[in-house]
Amino acid sequence: MRLPAATGNFYCMNAAILVAAGKGTRMGAGVDKLFLEVAGRPVVAHTWRRFDDAECIGEIILVVRRGMRKAFSQLAEKYHFQKPFHIVIGGAERQDSVWNGLEALSPASEIVAIQDAARPCTNGELIAATVRAADESGAAVAAQPVTDTVKESADGRFIQRTLDRSRLWSVQTPQTFRIEVIRRALAEVRHRGLVFTDDTAACELIGQQVRLVSSVAPNPKVTVPGDLPFIETLLTGKIGF
């Protein structure tokens, strides 16, 4: 764990968990999407930099796959990240990885932003907006209103019906919470033996309202190889944030 510099607002009581323990199977066998180079550095290094630069974040927890601790430590040395960080091992499911990250937080932290490590374009304004919304409401999520017409299909072959897109939002990360809220929500998920792939779904389970924070700038996630050219364009500034 890197020790913090004792200056300015560095000790703000907010944290980030970068979830980097997934297998990324849609990228193809043997490909670790987090370490693919885009705009001159690995995907995860861009994501880490966004939170290292965010004034509203005081510490960073990286949740990684077993055997990857050294690789992430080397990234920290190479790119000179400044904020205190801690690397922990992920669990069987995403919710288990987030739980492990929560267990590693400083007791002083009050709000936590949970981020897909494969989402490297998240800007500081969006991070700060979700922190403010979580402070006010207990839980918040970066999201965009759905603009495409959305169809429902039970078998993946034929359309059953058209959904009302005026009520639909596509959620992203960061998903940001007061720490006691997300702990309580995930504890209930674990107690019931459920599996969720989205942290806000755990809040829905306990009746916790989640504030939508509109993500105006592009905030894509690296999922398949075809995502990389667009993300490269965003990161190199050819399309502004």
Side-chain angles (χ1 to χ4, degrees), residues 4 11 23 26 28 34 46 63 87 97 114 141 143 145 147 158 168 173 185 189 221 224 232 236:
Y11 289 108
K23 297 181 178 66
R26 283 175 285 186
L34 296 180
H46 288 286
V63 187
I87 299 172
S97 294
I114 301 171
V141 60
T147 56
F158 297 100
L168 300 178
T173 61
V189 170
K221 181 181 178 181
V224 296
E232 174 100 23
T236 54

Side-chain angles (χ1 to χ4, degrees), residues 172-211:
Q172 307 168 345
T173 61
Q175 300 190 359
T176 306
F177 311 90
R178 285 194 169 275
I179 290 173
E180 71 272 15
V181 167
I182 191 60
R183 281 188 187 277
R184 181 162 52 90
L186 288 180
E188 184 64 20
V189 170
R190 292 160 68 86
H191 174 70
R192 297 195 192 187
L194 302 174
V195 175
F196 290 148
T197 59
D198 173 84
D199 304 305
T200 61
C203 286
E204 294 169 36
L205 182 67
I206 63 168
Q208 167 67 47
Q209 287 191 320
V210 181
R211 177 87 62 85

